[in-house]
Amino acid sequence: MKTILITGASTGIGKATAKHFSANGWNVIATMRTPEKEQELTLLDNVLVTKLDVRDEQTIKNAITEGLQKFGKIDLVVNNAGYGQYGIFEAATPEQIREQFETNVFGVMNVMRAIVPYYRSQNEGMIINISSAGGRIAFPLISTYLSSKFALEGFSESVTYELASQNIILKLVEPGGVDTPFHITSGEKVAVNPELTSYDEFSNNVNESFAKMIEGITSAHAVAEVVFEAATDGTNTLRYQSGEDSKGWIKARTSMADGEYMNHMKNNVLRLK
């Protein structure tokens, strides 16, 4: 029986992934910052719920050790923990920007630094980093979050060559909009500066377009199914999209010249006035 370790498993994609892999016969190390609050995953026989904060290297080491003690082996790590910092870039404080990268980029690196030596010792292993369509394309009002995902994409693609030499596979899953508490959390972290009133009309127009985009977004379970496909399809495919919006946005970005693409985004997607 194989074992998966998931970060950020308390809600959304992380929890859905834990439940999906458990239902498909995997042992699951479901990690989160406050495991004492978890009431659902703790009821599953093959799931270990334990503490892991991606910004705290000791909790990462402890979670890996605890998982190995219970299940004997770790075959897959899914780096899912993350959040979105929304708002006009000029309104974001240096502290907000650093915190975004501490979790979404450096947190992933912390987990990978901890698991890669173990994978090398057993001469195999897999890592799946949960990125975003926003790691390949850009929208206004989300520059801090999207730049963290662009960084994750570049880091992951670069290091996949290194890890392959050690028989370690790294993959990326790129969801579009997902119906999870992610948007609630991000909404609570909007960067605001009341003095920047000249952006108000632009921000209102963009937010109107965003409101239309969330109609028909995919579910966390659908993303979990793509993660499971990536983990079990036996290929070295690097990127997997989840959601028709993700597939459409990335297809447009990769098939159009820059000018054509920017006009497409302004006129057809964002509908900027």
Side-chain angles (χ1 to χ4, degrees):
M1 184 180 293
K2 290 190 173 183
T3 299
I4 177 177
L5 183 150
I6 308 167
T7 68
S10 60
T11 61
I13 294 172
K15 175 169 278 191
T17 300
K19 292 164 68 175
H20 189 67
F21 275 76
S22 172
N24 280 275
W26 285 57
N27 296 320
V28 178
I29 308 164
T31 74
M32 57 198 72
R33 289 181 296 170
T34 55
E36 63 277 5
K37 296 181 180 179
E38 178 56 41
Q39 298 180 354
E40 185 176 5
L41 297 177
T42 52
L43 301 177
L44 302 177
D45 291 336
N46 60 330
V47 176
L48 167 67
V49 176
T50 191
K51 181 179 179 63
L52 189 156
D53 183 338
V54 297
R55 297 169 300 180
D56 185 337
E57 294 185 29
Q58 190 58 54
T59 67
I60 298 169
K61 294 176 183 177
N62 292 345
I64 291 172
T65 299
E66 190 176 353
L68 289 173
Q69 288 174 343
K70 183 170 180 63
F71 298 124
K73 187 182 180 184
I74 297 174
D75 302 277
L76 169 63
V77 168
V78 174
N79 283 306
N80 166 74
Y83 73 95
Q85 174 67 62
Y86 290 5
I88 291 287
F89 169 71
E90 192 178 349
T93 66
E95 291 75 21
Q96 288 173 319
I97 296 169
R98 290 191 188 98
E99 184 179 356
Q100 179 76 104
F101 276 74
E102 285 289 348
T103 298
N104 290 12
V105 182
F106 302 138
V108 172
M109 292 179 177
N110 290 340
V111 174
M112 288 178 57
R113 270 198 306 271
I115 198 64
V116 165
Y118 165 72
Y119 278 171
R120 283 195 296 102
S121 73
Q122 66 181 19
N123 194 38
E124 65 176 346
M126 181 182 290
I127 298 165
I128 297 177
N129 291 336
I130 305 300
S131 180
S132 168
R136 306 277 297 283
I137 61 167
F139 291 102
L141 305 188
I142 330 177
S143 62
T144 304
Y145 169 67
L146 297 189
S147 60
S148 76
K149 290 301 186 180
F150 265 72
L152 179 62
E153 289 270 341
F155 164 71
S156 298
E157 182 171 332
S158 177
V159 80
T160 188
Y161 296 105
E162 302 170 17
L163 297 180
S165 74
Q166 308 300 308
N167 202 35
I168 302 169
I169 297 171
L170 186 147
K171 299 189 175 192
L172 287 157
V173 170
E174 302 166 331
V178 185
D179 186 12
T180 73
F182 175 92
H183 300 287
I184 298 174
T185 301
S186 299
E188 295 170 349
K189 291 181 175 289
V190 174
V192 177
N193 184 335
E195 297 179 1
L196 299 176
T197 57
S198 63
Y199 287 107
D200 287 352
E201 182 179 0
F202 171 81
S203 296
N204 290 336
N205 289 340
V206 172
N207 284 323
E208 286 178 10
S209 296
F210 284 168
K212 295 175 182 177
M213 288 182 200
I214 65 173
E215 298 174 3
I217 59 177
T218 195
S219 66
H221 177 71
V223 181
E225 291 180 324
V226 174
V227 176
F228 190 78
E229 175 192 354
T232 59
D233 67 4
T235 75
N236 291 325
T237 303
L238 175 60
R239 290 182 169 91
Y240 296 75
Q241 284 86 50
S242 176
E244 293 306 310
D245 52 357
S246 175
K247 295 174 184 177
W249 292 332
I250 292 174
K251 181 179 180 180
R253 189 67 185 95
T254 55
S255 63
M256 295 179 180
D258 278 354
E260 180 187 8
Y261 169 77
M262 296 293 285
N263 286 331
H264 166 71
M265 291 296 290
K266 290 176 183 177
N267 298 325
N268 302 324
V269 178
L270 295 170
R271 296 180 174 86
L272 296 178
K273 299 174 183 178

